[in-house]
Amino acid sequence: MNRETLNSPGVFTPSLVWGANLTLTNIHDLCDKARSNASLPYAAVFAEHIKKVANNGVRNLASWAGNLMLKHKHPEFLSDLYVMLDLVGARLLIGDDTGNRSQCTLKEFLSLDMQGKIIEAAFLPTYTDTNNYIRLYRVSQRNQDDHGHVAAGFNMKLDRTNNCTVLQRPTIVFQGVSNTMNRAENTEAFLEGKQLGDPQVLKDCLNMLSMEISPVTDPTLQYRRSVAMSLFYKYVLDVCGDKVAQRYRSGGAIFERPVSSGTQSYDTRKEQWPLSQPMTSMDADYLGCNCAGFCKVRYLDDLPWDPDELHAAL
């Protein structure tokens, strides 16, 4: 991740570059270190979200560019990296076998013929204000090692002092809803200049989002559409904060599950002994294993097989 000034074609002038060989673990570590950088409001969000992609072993080996190439080859693939990069308007640097280089958006990349071409880098923007509210969500059966059902990203520049007015066209990215939908572009255009804290605006926006997500009859896809709309509602509850009625605020909170732990307690009453009296089993010293894993008693599975040994079971 290099910070430098790049004179790239067009109006996009990035100051943050990801080389294509960076692994997902590299991206996580770099974003984690940049949490306090005000010009990178997405760093903390990226760091938390990328921990949900695959598992430690895969993240240590797989690159973000490889993840995007999988999305390019299989449009139905739920790519968390696509959501992350498209959410902040990143551009990709594409090189071919003749030495030529060009830039493209994430949307253009999906339809680009990559024969004889590779992804060389990603150019990410920096921000000059603190009014951008960026969130990433993922719904899956497990926290890791799961392709997931729906992934969503929302990036809006809001004036929270004016009923959360959307100051410019927002970015709304979905994955897993359908094979073709990656952005809710109609909903994005509708929200520009609207007050996100206005209940009628929220209602109209949800109706538009429902229509924009192609109507389907398959129950699984209907579920995914419902999840996508719920994640948008969750985002609104989160960023509107105290503008939301108290009874609804918990809907915007991110569920955090800490490392599981447990304790055991055994109640006993001496007047009832020997009932409930804690007593060591007479054969515990023989059947139990010591700290070296050695048991005084050798179980059947601990013994080597005899020649021509037979087995029987009821």
Side-chain angles (χ1 to χ4, degrees), residues 3-302:
R3 183 178 295 276
E4 58 186 51
T5 300
L6 296 178
N7 297 319
S8 57
V11 298
F12 186 87
T13 304
S15 55
L16 194 65
V17 183
W18 288 359
N21 63 331
L22 290 177
T23 66
L24 302 186
T25 298
N26 294 149
I27 297 298
H28 168 268
D29 294 345
L30 292 167
C31 289
D32 193 48
K33 292 178 182 177
R35 285 176 179 268
S36 59
N37 191 330
S39 66
L40 302 175
Y42 50 81
V45 181
F46 281 13
E48 290 303 315
H49 189 78
I50 209 165
K51 289 190 294 186
K52 302 175 184 178
V53 180
N55 55 54
N56 284 333
V58 173
R59 290 194 295 268
N60 289 340
L61 296 173
S63 69
W64 63 267
N67 185 282
L68 287 188
M69 286 303 299
L70 187 58
K71 173 68 176 176
H72 183 276
K73 186 174 182 179
H74 302 281
E76 72 281 1
F77 173 64
L78 190 156
S79 171
D80 294 274
L81 273 297
Y82 184 96
V83 178
M84 293 164 57
L85 291 173
D86 198 21
L87 188 61
V88 296
R91 296 179 70 91
L92 301 179
L93 179 65
I94 308 296
D96 62 25
D97 50 11
T98 64
N100 293 324
R101 291 177 173 178
S102 61
Q103 292 186 30
C104 67
T105 64
L106 272 293
K107 181 179 180 180
E108 293 168 343
F109 165 73
L110 292 181
S111 58
L112 184 66
D113 182 5
M114 290 298 291
Q115 184 68 33
K117 300 176 183 177
I118 60 170
I119 301 174
E120 294 189 10
F123 299 150
L124 287 79
T126 53
Y127 291 76
T128 57
D129 56 54
T130 58
N131 295 326
N132 289 84
Y133 294 85
I134 301 172
R135 300 289 188 273
L136 285 165
Y137 303 99
R138 193 177 201 270
V139 175
S140 57
Q141 290 179 298
R142 296 181 296 276
N143 194 44
Q144 291 189 15
D145 266 337
D146 195 300
H147 287 302
H149 300 305
V150 176
F154 306 95
N155 183 0
M156 299 189 189
K157 187 174 183 178
L158 303 174
D159 181 1
R160 298 187 70 182
T161 63
N162 187 21
N163 204 19
C164 294
T165 300
V166 183
L167 299 177
Q168 62 187 33
R169 179 165 177 152
T171 302
I172 302 175
V173 186
F174 286 115
Q175 290 283 277
V177 176
S178 72
N179 294 347
T180 57
M181 182 180 181
N182 296 298
R183 289 276 291 274
E185 296 180 347
N186 294 339
T187 306
E188 292 174 355
F190 169 80
L191 277 173
E192 185 173 3
K194 301 290 196 307
Q195 292 184 341
L196 203 58
D198 185 341
Q200 187 59 46
V201 169
L202 177 59
K203 182 178 179 180
D204 293 342
C205 186
L206 287 172
N207 288 335
M208 176 165 289
L209 185 59
S210 178
M211 291 186 295
E212 188 168 10
I213 300 176
S214 301
V216 291
T217 56
D218 184 275
T220 301
L221 297 180
Q222 288 180 343
Y223 160 75
R224 293 172 187 265
R225 178 172 62 176
S226 176
V227 169
M229 296 176 61
S230 298
L231 293 178
F232 175 79
Y233 181 54
K234 185 179 187 69
Y235 171 81
V236 173
L237 294 178
D238 180 15
V239 299
C240 287
D242 56 7
K243 303 291 183 182
V244 178
Q246 183 66 41
R247 61 182 298 190
Y248 300 121
R249 291 182 189 175
S250 63
I254 301 297
F255 178 73
E256 297 288 347
R257 180 174 180 175
V259 176
S260 298
S261 61
T263 58
Q264 289 181 315
S265 61
Y266 302 93
D267 297 330
T268 181
R269 300 172 66 177
K270 289 187 177 182
E271 64 271 18
Q272 295 180 348
W273 286 4
L275 294 176
S276 77
Q277 180 180 359
M279 301 174 63
T280 302
S281 175
M282 294 179 60
D283 56 2
D285 292 337
Y286 298 94
L287 299 180
C289 296
N290 59 23
C291 60
F294 176 76
C295 297
K296 292 183 179 180
V297 174
R298 301 184 71 187
Y299 293 91
L300 185 61
D301 284 347
D302 299 325

